[in-house]
């Protein structure tokens, strides 16, 4: 049994060592601030706490105005992508013990989308790109309301890209997207991939044409930032490469 | 009553700083139930979906294990066995006509999802694969049956994504990050009828009134009344709380499900699918203790029984760890390849959050507050009830916020993803039928008045009490006193605490006084709903002097069909600030619909 487990027992909480970490958070209150500003907070934490716990402690115990999105708290809803020590991650999936706590922890909003307040950005442009690639199964009706068949191999072909939770960590880590907000971005391509490689889908040519556009897949410079950022472990760069291949060679 | 002329409202009308909208159908909530309703309603009527979260952030996405349907794709099965299991699993408090609909329509519900694009796991011959889940059996309890359709351990994620994708396809109108805080009722010929809802827009802090002919509530559960829970931070029961404050009844609120396998200390869920694939619960001695409690189904007995057995193991000193206060879920005997294919996410949770490697180590687990069986009472057409027999015209509810009741006193695993699809669809259909002939009910003058009062109360917060402290005291006390084991004493303790917390709630301190993205304000409003719902739950639980399904009274350990084979219907009748809950809550009882299955002792 690992020691992390013993640490997590609520009853023994008093005995577990805590330490003070410093979070330096980039704040922005649109009602007051002209420019974002950095603010320090000292927080008492356990090694097993997540960055989300630290943010909650600040909000609940020190400054209620600290603003961020969150819901599920275990990496499944995609609400809390943010830049933590310069890397895009989910606050609820980043454990304090995995960061170097001898130094301050820097937290700021993801880049490339309009900043609204503190750690919140405007997600509309992100969802707009997603919607543009026809993110739904395009296939004729089945006879008599029956299930379509799909072999386990065919199903496995697009498994990786079905995991996407639309958190925007990938898209907002992409240098191409930072400089050209028109670029569809990795998340939209991942979701196109999910349908292009689904054996049941009949609309892949439409999507491939959309992504062959000048703001489509060819803007990708294969920097792998997206793959590193993805909290679901999706091979984003590879998915983009497969879509490029499909454009050149047709749907496999 | 003076009203606003319906003809004076067009989309974009602003009166006294409040925005007005008009839709035939308004759906509150964009989880599985809300979006399933939207897919039914959108093509036939002018429809809006209002959600406090972006649709894909809804907690349906956290569901893991599967969705039940007797497809019989991998072994013999039929909907009648499924009906029976649902009724028995709910300890006979299930309305049997509703359970029959659930089980029958399950098959189409799964096929609908597949046709919409859901990537189910497949059998070798390409059909939707199925696996075992607690309480689902063949031939009325003979042995576990493979009935759960699934997509790895991300079934809810795939359902949420697929429904959202189809909403995008249909061009459904979403109002995202809009918090609905009130239902507007207008008196028509002496009867209160719903005329719209009031929402607070997170981005701007502005209020919006949506006038509509039909309103569907699909706001999900309220697990955040407890400390240890599998539910999201945002599951604060706003919708159920709004209905309660209108004086409409809430049904069977005392029945809350504690899921056996939450990660110890965290409450994050490890799906029952693990046990469906062969995982075993063990105590500190390594014993497979469920064999002693339920010899036939063992680890796959229904959740109420497994959770109680676990609590008993710990009480009797067989818990693990230095404080003997947790148990183990053991999957070390499963092939890593099987684990990776069938249970990838939950094993990842154990690694990330507890630092445990499930291939080789057993995972520390404890029961976690999971699912509200009770909620807004509806009939099988998803129409909301105003008493035991009459409906509120134009008002519907579906999903976890509703109580049909298909889950009775204990829901079977995989029956909720089913419920949201079957009754979400029915709600959408019913609303479409209704608006074909219905007229708008005129809005009262100042329909947003009630919400303004709540916000003013909270905004004026210059007090000394922290929102988070009050919430934590409530949650701690609920875990201690209203969880798996309850007594009159323990319930009395939390009742008294709630009264004190209510007084302190009036003295809260708000840090954020701004208009834009004021989550501080909304947490305060949500806390108000949590206090209300905790109080009804506890009040209903005190009055049910028996043990049934998810409700275990140590002072009344047996099921008592003579007196309690009835649904609880709770009404808010007075001022919630009054000292005694009895002064402002009234209980009534509603008969259970029994068709084919006379109540029997529940053995597994
Ligand atoms: C971890 C976990 C695993 C589960 N696994 C399974 C499983 O394997 N099988 C199964 O059958 N069931 C499972 N369940 C149960 C099932 O997932 C839920 O009961 C079901 O998804 C609830 O769906 P819903 O649409 O009713 O609510 P939700 O999906 O919670 O959606 C609620 C919606 O209401 C909105 N909302 C809430 N309040 C407001 C407001 N004030 N204003 C506007 N919008 C509001 C939210 O934004 C959200 O869109 C699981 C549950 C959990 C927590
Ligand atoms: S691909 Fe990964 S990083 Fe990008 S949106 Fe999806 S889950 Fe997030
Ligand atoms: S809060 Fe849901 S992903 Fe982090």
């Amino acid at each position: 049994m690992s020691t992390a487990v013993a640490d997590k027992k609520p009853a023994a909480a008093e005995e577990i060592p805590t330490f003070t970490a410093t979070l330096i958070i980039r704040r922005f209150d649109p009602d007051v601030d002209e420019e974002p500003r950095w603010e320090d907070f000292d927080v008492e934490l356990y090694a097993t706490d997540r960055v989300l716990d630290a943010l909650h402690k600040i909000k609940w115990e020190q400054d209620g105005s600290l603003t961020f999105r969150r819901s599920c708290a275990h990496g499944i809803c995609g609400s809390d992508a943010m830049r933590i020590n310069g890397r895009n991650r989910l606050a609820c999936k980043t454990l304090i013990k995995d960061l170097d706590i001898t130094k301050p922890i820097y937290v700021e909003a993801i880049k490339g989308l309009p900043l609204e307040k503190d750690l919140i950005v405007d997600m509309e442009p992100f969802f707009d790109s997603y919607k543009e690639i026809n993110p739904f199964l395009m296939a004729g009706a089945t006879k008599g309301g029956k299930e379509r068949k799909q072999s386990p191999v065919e199903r496995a072909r697009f498994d990786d890209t079905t995991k996407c939770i639309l958190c925007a960590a990938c898209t907002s880590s992409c240098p191409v997207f930072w400089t050209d907000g028109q670029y569809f971005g990795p998340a939209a391509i991942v979701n196109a991939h999910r349908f292009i490689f689904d054996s049941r889908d009949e609309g892949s040519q439409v999507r491939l044409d959309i992504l062959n556009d000048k703001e489509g897949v060819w803007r990708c410079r294969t920097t792998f930032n997206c793959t590193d950022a993805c909290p679901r472990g999706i091979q984003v760069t590879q998915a983009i490469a497969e879509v490029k291949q499909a454009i050149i060679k047709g749907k496999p | 009553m003076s009203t606003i002329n319906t003809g004076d409202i067009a989309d974009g009308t602003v009166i006294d700083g409040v925005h007005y909208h008009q839709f035939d159908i308004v759906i509150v909530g964009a989880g599985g139930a809300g979006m399933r309703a939207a897919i039914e309603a959108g093509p036939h009527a002018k429809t809006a979906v209002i959600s406090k979260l972006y649709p894909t952030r809804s907690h349906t996405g956290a569901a893991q294990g599967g969705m039940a349907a007797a497809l019989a794709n991998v072994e013999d099965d039929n909907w009648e066995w499924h009906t029976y299991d649902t009724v028995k699993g709910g300890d006979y408090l299930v309305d049997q006509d509703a359970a029959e609909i659930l089980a029958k329509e399950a098959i189409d519900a799964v096929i609908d999802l597949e046709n919409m694009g859901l990537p189910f796991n497949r059998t070798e011959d390409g059909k939707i694969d199925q696996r075992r889940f607690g309480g689902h059996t063949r031939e009325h309890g003979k042995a576990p049956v493979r009935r759960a359709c699934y997509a790895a351990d991300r079934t809810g994620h795939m359902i949420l994504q697929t429904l959202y994708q189809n909403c995008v396809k249909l061009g459904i109108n979403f109002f995202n990050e809009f918090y609905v805080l009130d239902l507007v009722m207008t008196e028509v010929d002496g009867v209160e009828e719903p005329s719209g809802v009031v929402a607070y827009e997170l981005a701007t802090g502005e209020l919006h009134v949506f006038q509509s002919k039909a309103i569907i509530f699909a706001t999900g559960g309220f697990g955040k009344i407890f400390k240890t829970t599998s539910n999201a931070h945002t599951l604060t029961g706003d919708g159920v709380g709004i209905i309660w404050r209108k004086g409409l009844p809430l049904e069977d609120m005392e029945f809350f499900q504690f899921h056996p396998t939450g990660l110890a200390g965290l409450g994050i869920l490890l799906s029952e699918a693990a046990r469906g694939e062969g995982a075993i619960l063990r105590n500190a001695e390594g014993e497979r203790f469920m064999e002693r409690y339920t010899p036939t189904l063992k680890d796959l007995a229904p959740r109420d029984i497994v959770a109680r057995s676990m609590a008993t193991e710990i009480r009797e000193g067989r818990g693990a760890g230095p404080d003997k206060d947790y148990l183990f879920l053991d999957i070390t005997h499963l092939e890593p390849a099987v684990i990776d294919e069938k249970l990838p996410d939950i094993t990842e949770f154990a690694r990330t959050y507890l630092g445990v490697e499930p291939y080789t180590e057993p995972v520390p687990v404890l029961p976690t507050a999971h699912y509200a069986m009770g909620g807004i009472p509806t009939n099988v057409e998803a129409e909301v009830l105003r008493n035991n027999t009459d409906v509120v015209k134009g008002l519907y509810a579906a999903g976890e916020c509703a109580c049909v009741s298909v889950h009775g006193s204990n829901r079977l695993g995989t029956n909720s993803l089913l419920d949201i699809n079957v009754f979400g669809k029915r709600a959408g259909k019913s609303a479409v039928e209704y608006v074909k002939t219905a007229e708008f009910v005129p809005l009262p003058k100042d329909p947003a008045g009630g919400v303004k009062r709540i916000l003013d109360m909270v905004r004026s917060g210059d007090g000394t009490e922290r929102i988070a402290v009050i919430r934590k005291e409530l949650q701690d006390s609920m875990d201690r006193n209203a969880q798996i084991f309850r007594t009159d004493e323990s319930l009395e303790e939390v009742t008294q605490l709630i009264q004190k917390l209510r007084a302190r709630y009036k003295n809260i301190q708000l840090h954020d006084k701004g208009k834009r993205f004021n989550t501080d304000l909304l947490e305060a409003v949500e806390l108000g709903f949590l206090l209300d719902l905790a109080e009804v739950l506890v009040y209903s639980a005190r009055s049910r002097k028996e043990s049934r399904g998810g409700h275990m009274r140590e002072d009344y350990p047996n099921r008592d069909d003579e007196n309690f084979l009835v649904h609880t219907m709770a009404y808010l009748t007075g001022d919630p600030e009054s000292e005694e809950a009895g002064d402002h809550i009234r209980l009534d009882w509603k008969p259970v619909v029994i068709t084919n299955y006379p109540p029997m002792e529940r053995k597994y």
Side-chain angles (χ1 to χ4, degrees):
Chain A
M1 182 59 41
S2 82
T3 49
V5 176
D7 286 355
K8 267 295 170 192
K9 286 189 305 65
E14 304 76 56
E15 304 142 35
I16 308 164
T18 62
F19 53 86
T20 304
T22 304
L23 272 80
I24 304 186
I25 302 177
R26 190 162 181 261
R27 311 260 340 237
F28 176 64
D29 179 350
D31 291 335
V32 185
D33 298 325
E34 300 261 300
E35 284 293 317
R37 61 199 156 80
W38 292 93
E39 188 173 348
D40 298 15
F41 295 94
D42 287 341
V43 213
E44 281 267 301
L45 296 172
Y46 301 105
T48 48
D49 278 336
R50 305 156 256 187
V51 170
L52 180 62
D53 295 314
L55 295 174
H56 271 148
K57 274 186 196 167
I58 295 169
K59 184 173 182 68
W60 293 343
E61 294 165 16
Q62 302 182 33
D63 182 352
S65 73
L66 180 67
T67 305
F68 48 92
R69 292 189 176 100
R70 52 83 179 115
S71 184
C72 72
H74 66 283
I76 214 71
C77 76
S79 294
D80 60 342
M82 52 189 77
R83 262 168 94 80
I84 298 167
N85 287 344
R87 250 190 74 191
N88 277 8
R89 327 174 60 157
L90 297 177
C92 66
K93 253 192 128 175
T94 307
L95 268 63
I96 299 290
K97 71 177 165 58
D98 297 334
L99 302 170
D100 175 3
I101 49 140
T102 60
K103 298 198 193 113
I105 301 164
Y106 286 85
V107 182
E108 61 188 302
I110 48 177
K111 295 203 329 189
L113 291 160
L115 182 61
E116 295 277 5
K117 182 174 175 182
D118 291 350
L119 302 172
I120 292 190
V121 297
D122 179 6
M123 294 295 288
E124 288 303 326
F126 173 80
F127 278 103
D128 287 345
S129 306
Y130 163 81
K131 287 176 197 155
E132 272 182 54
I133 52 90
N134 294 342
F136 39 80
L137 190 76
M138 293 157 76
T142 52
K143 277 197 213 93
K146 286 220 175 64
E147 62 181 277
R148 293 189 182 83
K149 291 215 175 169
Q150 181 166 57
S151 74
V153 175
E154 288 166 336
R155 168 64 180 79
R157 180 67 190 85
F158 64 103
D159 187 58
D160 200 34
T161 44
T162 63
K163 297 188 302 201
C164 176
I165 54 173
L166 297 169
C167 69
C170 55
T171 297
S172 63
S173 72
C174 173
V176 178
F177 181 75
W178 295 338
T179 49
D180 175 9
Q182 297 304 307
Y183 170 43
F184 278 94
I189 303 173
V190 160
N191 282 281
H193 179 282
R194 179 250 169 273
F195 290 101
I196 293 168
F197 292 91
D198 185 333
S199 58
R200 299 169 297 174
D201 189 77
E202 293 157 12
S204 46
Q205 199 51 50
V206 182
R207 294 190 195 89
L208 292 173
D209 288 344
I210 295 171
L211 290 173
N212 197 15
D213 182 85
K214 73 172 177 7
E215 301 296 352
V217 286
W218 306 112
R219 308 236 52 186
C220 168
R221 292 276 163 273
T222 328
T223 46
F224 281 93
N225 283 20
C226 51
T227 305
D228 292 340
C230 180
R232 302 287 287 153
I234 298 171
Q235 296 302 309
V236 182
T237 313
Q238 184 182 330
I240 298 174
E242 288 175 3
V243 172
K244 287 177 179 170
Q245 279 297 311
I247 290 175
I248 298 168
K249 297 187 177 155
K251 183 178 166 176
Chain B
M1 182 178 1
S2 68
T3 53
I4 300 178
N5 194 344
T6 299
D8 291 348
I9 297 170
D11 270 345
T13 308
V14 181
I15 306 172
D16 292 337
V18 176
H19 303 256
Y20 284 79
H21 312 260
Q22 229 171 36
F23 285 92
D24 291 332
I25 300 175
V26 158
I27 299 170
V28 185
M35 290 203 285
R36 189 63 191 82
I39 288 170
E40 228 41 49
H44 305 289
K46 188 180 171 200
T47 302
V49 181
I50 309 176
S51 174
K52 75 178 190 182
L53 300 172
Y54 272 90
T56 57
R57 316 290 184 225
S58 304
H59 212 54
T60 291
Q64 303 166 352
M67 168 168 166
L71 301 180
N73 273 3
V74 288
E75 61 182 318
D76 207 16
D77 197 6
N78 65 61
W79 62 257
E80 192 274 321
W81 295 348
H82 186 183
T83 310
Y84 169 82
D85 289 338
T86 302
V87 170
K88 181 179 173 191
D91 217 351
Y92 295 90
L93 200 71
V94 171
D95 287 328
Q96 299 184 7
D97 55 340
E100 186 173 320
I101 289 172
L102 182 82
K104 264 189 197 161
E105 295 184 7
I107 294 158
D108 279 346
V110 166
I111 295 190
D112 278 357
L113 287 170
E114 195 285 334
N115 286 183
M116 284 185 219
L118 197 138
F120 285 106
N121 275 41
R122 300 288 176 155
T123 63
E124 279 312 314
D125 54 353
K127 291 197 260 180
I128 294 171
D129 196 12
Q130 299 190 272
R131 67 176 164 209
R132 296 189 177 120
F133 242 81
H136 290 280
T137 70
R138 69 178 160 79
E139 295 171 81
H140 307 138
K142 289 235 171 75
V145 74
R146 295 177 193 274
R147 185 178 291 149
C149 308
Y150 67 100
D153 53 359
R154 322 188 172 105
T155 315
H157 165 76
M158 300 297 192
I159 289 179
L160 192 69
Q161 296 286 330
T162 302
L163 293 176
Y164 182 60
Q165 289 155 4
N166 281 271
C167 285
V168 170
K169 180 176 171 183
L170 295 172
I172 302 289
N173 219 325
F174 284 98
F175 291 83
N176 296 329
E177 298 192 326
F178 276 57
Y179 286 62
V180 170
L181 299 180
D182 200 7
L183 168 68
V184 185
M185 305 283 272
T186 310
E187 206 182 297
V188 182
D189 301 333
V191 184
E192 294 273 316
E193 289 188 15
S195 48
V197 296
V198 186
Y200 174 96
E201 184 182 4
L202 181 67
T204 60
E206 313 254 288
L207 292 181
H208 295 254
V209 172
F210 293 81
Q211 185 181 27
S212 58
K213 296 176 182 170
I215 299 161
I216 302 175
F217 272 67
T219 50
F222 45 89
K224 276 288 154 183
I225 58 175
F226 293 97
K227 172 172 160 241
T228 310
T229 176
S230 64
N231 284 194
H233 285 287
T234 45
L235 285 176
T236 48
D238 316 353
V240 182
I242 288 168
I243 295 290
W244 172 245
R245 289 176 185 178
K246 291 284 132 182
L248 293 168
L250 296 182
E251 182 173 349
D252 290 343
M253 289 293 283
E254 62 273 36
F255 295 105
F256 208 96
Q257 179 167 80
F258 300 92
H259 191 294
T261 54
L263 285 182
L266 287 164
I268 296 173
L269 196 76
L270 300 183
S271 172
E272 198 171 288
R275 281 172 284 140
E277 299 291 350
I280 293 169
L281 283 163
R282 298 189 189 281
N283 59 24
E285 290 138 36
E287 183 205 6
R288 180 178 197 176
F289 56 86
M290 282 312 299
E291 274 175 343
R292 269 189 279 119
Y293 296 92
T294 45
T296 309
L297 292 190
K298 300 188 181 79
D299 299 276
L300 282 176
R303 290 173 181 173
D304 56 332
I305 296 175
V306 179
R308 240 178 344 260
S309 309
M310 291 171 73
T312 306
E313 287 298 294
I314 291 175
R315 282 189 163 187
E316 293 178 358
R318 291 186 291 277
D323 294 329
K324 298 178 184 287
D325 60 356
Y326 57 81
L327 295 153
F328 292 119
L329 184 70
D330 182 5
I331 56 168
T332 55
H333 53 289
L334 301 184
E335 286 295 323
V338 172
I339 295 176
D340 290 349
E341 191 200 328
K342 303 254 169 98
L343 308 168
D345 279 7
I346 61 171
T347 42
E348 183 64 26
F349 297 152
R351 288 183 196 112
T352 307
Y353 297 112
L354 291 187
V356 173
E357 177 44 69
Y359 290 159
T360 53
E361 293 169 290
V363 183
V365 291
L366 266 186
T368 182
H370 185 59
Y371 184 84
M373 267 76 72
I376 307 167
T378 72
N379 61 18
V380 294
E381 308 303 340
E383 295 171 292
V384 171
L385 298 179
R386 67 165 84 236
N387 53 40
N388 284 4
T389 45
D390 304 323
V391 302
V392 184
K393 273 200 298 182
L395 189 62
Y396 306 85
E400 190 169 337
C401 71
C403 178
V404 187
S405 144
V406 287
H407 308 303
S409 60
N410 172 63
R411 171 174 74 81
L412 289 188
T414 67
N415 265 356
S416 173
L417 290 178
L418 176 57
D419 175 6
I420 63 179
N421 277 286
V422 167
F423 289 98
K425 179 173 178 176
R426 282 181 160 248
K429 276 205 150 121
S430 299
V432 167
E433 273 312 305
Y434 179 74
V435 303
K436 275 184 187 160
T437 54
E439 301 285 335
F440 283 103
V441 174
L443 290 165
K445 283 260 171 341
D446 198 18
V451 173
K452 284 182 198 154
R453 274 190 296 281
I454 297 176
L455 296 179
D456 285 346
M457 191 288 278
V458 176
R459 271 209 197 96
S460 66
D462 272 328
T464 49
E465 293 284 352
R466 282 190 181 275
I467 299 159
V469 170
I470 297 180
R471 187 175 51 214
K472 182 164 184 308
E473 284 185 36
L474 172 72
Q475 293 169 335
D476 285 346
S477 179
M478 287 296 286
D479 269 23
R480 243 189 350 266
N481 298 309
Q483 216 210 25
I484 296 175
F485 294 114
R486 302 164 171 178
T487 63
D488 193 59
E489 249 187 329
S490 73
L491 296 168
E492 165 72 19
E493 190 180 318
V494 32
T495 307
Q496 292 197 358
L497 177 77
I498 292 169
Q499 284 311 309
K500 290 190 196 120
L501 294 179
R502 266 192 203 291
R504 287 168 56 189
Y505 179 60
K506 283 197 282 192
N507 183 35
I508 52 170
Q509 170 187 87
L510 201 75
H511 284 157
D512 195 337
K513 306 277 184 189
K515 289 201 78 174
R516 309 198 49 211
F517 290 95
N518 192 336
T519 52
D520 201 22
L521 177 83
L522 287 159
E523 280 195 33
V525 175
E526 289 171 337
L527 173 59
F529 291 122
L530 291 178
L531 286 167
D532 283 2
L533 295 183
E535 186 176 44
V536 206
L537 185 153
V538 170
Y539 192 77
S540 305
R542 276 185 90 177
S543 309
R544 185 174 284 274
K545 298 186 166 83
E546 66 154 354
S547 291
R548 179 188 299 271
H551 171 67
M552 172 76 194
R553 285 284 300 259
E554 287 187 280
D555 39 1
Y556 300 94
N558 299 317
R559 195 173 89 187
D560 174 2
D561 285 350
E562 188 99 5
N563 295 302
F564 288 105
L565 186 58
V566 281
H567 297 292
T568 309
M569 296 282 272
Y571 297 79
L572 178 68
T573 49
D575 175 11
E577 309 282 333
S578 65
E579 290 290 301
E580 288 285 322
D583 295 343
H584 59 267
I585 299 179
R586 178 176 68 84
L587 293 188
D588 194 5
W589 310 96
K590 183 162 73 92
V592 175
V593 180
I594 294 173
T595 54
N596 293 330
Y597 310 101
M600 295 203 289
E601 197 197 338
R602 201 159 151 248
K603 282 205 203 117
Y604 287 97

